[in-house]
Amino acid sequence: IRDLIEFFERSGELVRVKRPVDKDKELAAVLKRVQTELKKAVLFESVKGTDFMVVGNLYGGRDKLARIFGVPEEEVVKEWVRSRESKPIKPVRVNSSPCQEVVHERNINIGEILPIPYQYRGDAAPFINSAVVVVKDPKTKTYNASFNRMQLHGGNRLGIQLVINMDLFFIQKEAEKRGEPVEIAALISPDPYLFLAAATRLPRELDEIEYAGALAGSPVELIPCKTVDLEVPASAEIVLEGRIPPNTYVEEGPMGEVLQYYGSTSTKPIFEVTAITHRKRPILEALLTGTIEDHVLCGVP
């Protein structure tokens, strides 16, 4: 993601905010203004109370996807289809990665470690919307990657929305019938090709890490997690490891939705975080729902 930020800066498509911002009262408002008025990506270099940086709107328009794929804007969908039909590329394993420079395994308080911003006035809590959730499917033995919003609930617990009839929804329901937890890892700010692969709906038997390699034209580097039996893309800035326990639910919502309304409150599974690893001075990606970035990532794939 740092390469993408640098790329947009060279082309004049990045705004740097150097003044310290409040993650709950300023950040989302500035991000929305930059998206709608300047149509640029934005990097917040200083977020009050943390040494994390925050980036947003990296995918906010077909023009940005065209830059990533290296094609004219009108050929973005055609290129995405071509990449989807390309031969998957198997990942490679590495023994170390900057995403594990800092490791939190004890007394985890997610809200104190990560500067998760509030988005909208009516949101029940801060939500993580940009994380790519990685799971190994016990049925197909392939890796699945998807977006699943997560609500901060205090301590090491997040509510996680498993979208009905999507792969992780079925994986969790099948594990729950067996009385077993599901081990997952949530990657924040991974490389663009993994991000775009997670936005694409593929048959369950296809490995989405290998598909990300096909999009990139090179193998994804994987590193073993610290507390769960998973290997995850080493490109991420931040990784949350943990489990979805069976038959454990919490009230979730409301949150400002992709279609620009507030959804109702409902019960959702819990994501119990067993470790958080990240780079030194990491970059947290904020995805503002109901904006051009959200709509492009839903619509183009």
Side-chain angles (χ1 to χ4, degrees):
I1 199 171
R2 292 174 185 244
D3 293 337
L4 185 59
I5 291 168
E6 184 181 333
F7 177 74
F8 283 140
E9 183 158 48
R10 288 199 307 269
S11 63
E13 297 172 272
L14 179 79
V15 172
R16 284 183 177 266
V17 177
K18 297 182 180 294
R19 179 176 68 79
V21 295
D22 187 294
K23 73 177 182 66
D24 294 329
K25 298 178 181 178
E26 295 180 299
L27 194 148
V30 176
L31 173 55
K32 183 74 176 288
R33 289 282 295 275
V34 173
Q35 282 184 312
T36 56
E37 296 179 21
L38 302 180
K39 297 178 171 52
K40 295 183 179 183
V42 57
L43 178 68
F44 298 91
E45 294 185 359
S46 178
V47 180
K48 293 176 183 177
T50 179
D51 65 348
F52 283 59
M53 294 180 282
V54 174
V55 72
N57 202 38
L58 291 173
Y59 306 95
R62 289 186 184 222
D63 59 325
K64 291 179 174 54
L65 298 184
R67 306 274 197 286
I68 293 169
F69 283 128
V71 298
E73 189 173 337
E74 62 272 14
E75 293 184 16
V76 164
V77 173
K78 186 186 296 183
E79 179 64 17
W80 208 311
V81 171
R82 186 200 66 75
S83 299
R84 176 172 175 157
E85 294 172 350
S86 299
K87 185 178 179 180
I89 298 177
K90 291 191 176 297
V92 296
R93 275 75 187 177
V94 295
N95 296 321
S96 62
S97 164
C99 75
Q100 294 180 345
E101 286 176 332
V102 180
V103 179
H104 305 268
E105 288 189 60
R106 298 188 180 193
N107 303 317
I108 294 172
N109 188 315
I110 301 165
E112 291 182 358
I113 297 171
L114 303 181
I116 307 166
Y118 262 99
Q119 291 200 126
Y120 297 115
R121 189 176 300 161
D123 287 356
F127 283 81
I128 300 173
N129 296 317
S130 65
V132 174
V133 176
V134 172
V135 60
K136 191 163 189 180
D137 190 335
K139 187 174 182 179
T140 64
K141 310 302 182 187
T142 58
Y143 271 97
N144 178 267
S146 61
F147 290 102
N148 306 85
R149 79 185 194 202
M150 303 174 199
Q151 178 179 332
L152 189 63
H153 276 283
N156 72 329
R157 302 204 319 165
L158 296 162
I160 180 168
Q161 182 185 53
L162 306 183
V163 181
I164 191 167
N165 292 333
M166 300 294 272
D167 292 342
L168 184 54
F169 173 84
F170 290 121
I171 291 168
Q172 190 268 337
K173 290 299 181 187
E174 290 161 6
E176 195 166 63
K177 286 180 180 178
R178 300 190 300 268
E180 298 173 356
V182 178
E183 292 190 328
I184 65 171
L187 281 62
I188 300 177
S189 310
D191 77 81
Y193 298 105
L194 179 71
F195 200 84
L196 298 177
T200 309
R201 189 166 186 177
L202 299 171
R204 182 171 168 179
E205 65 273 11
L206 293 186
D207 191 302
E208 292 182 347
I209 302 295
E210 295 181 6
Y211 173 63
L215 283 176
S218 59
V220 174
E221 292 185 341
L222 297 181
I223 188 164
C225 288
K226 297 288 187 181
T227 60
V228 294
D229 187 21
L230 292 173
E231 294 179 313
V232 295
S235 66
E237 294 278 318
I238 305 158
V239 180
L240 286 72
E241 304 176 7
R243 300 171 180 84
I244 303 174
N247 303 305
T248 308
Y249 293 83
V250 68
E251 287 293 307
E252 191 256 16
M255 186 198 83
E257 299 273 8
V258 60
L259 296 178
Q260 300 182 342
Y261 60 85
Y262 287 103
S264 59
T265 301
S266 58
T267 56
K268 296 291 190 297
I270 281 289
F271 175 22
E272 292 181 344
V273 175
T274 53
I276 297 176
T277 70
H278 58 79
R279 286 174 174 255
K280 295 176 181 176
R281 187 127 165 85
I283 301 172
L284 183 145
E285 185 170 4
L287 200 164
L288 195 58
T289 56
T291 64
I292 180 64
E293 184 170 31
D294 204 8
H295 295 158
V296 164
L297 290 168
C298 288
V300 176

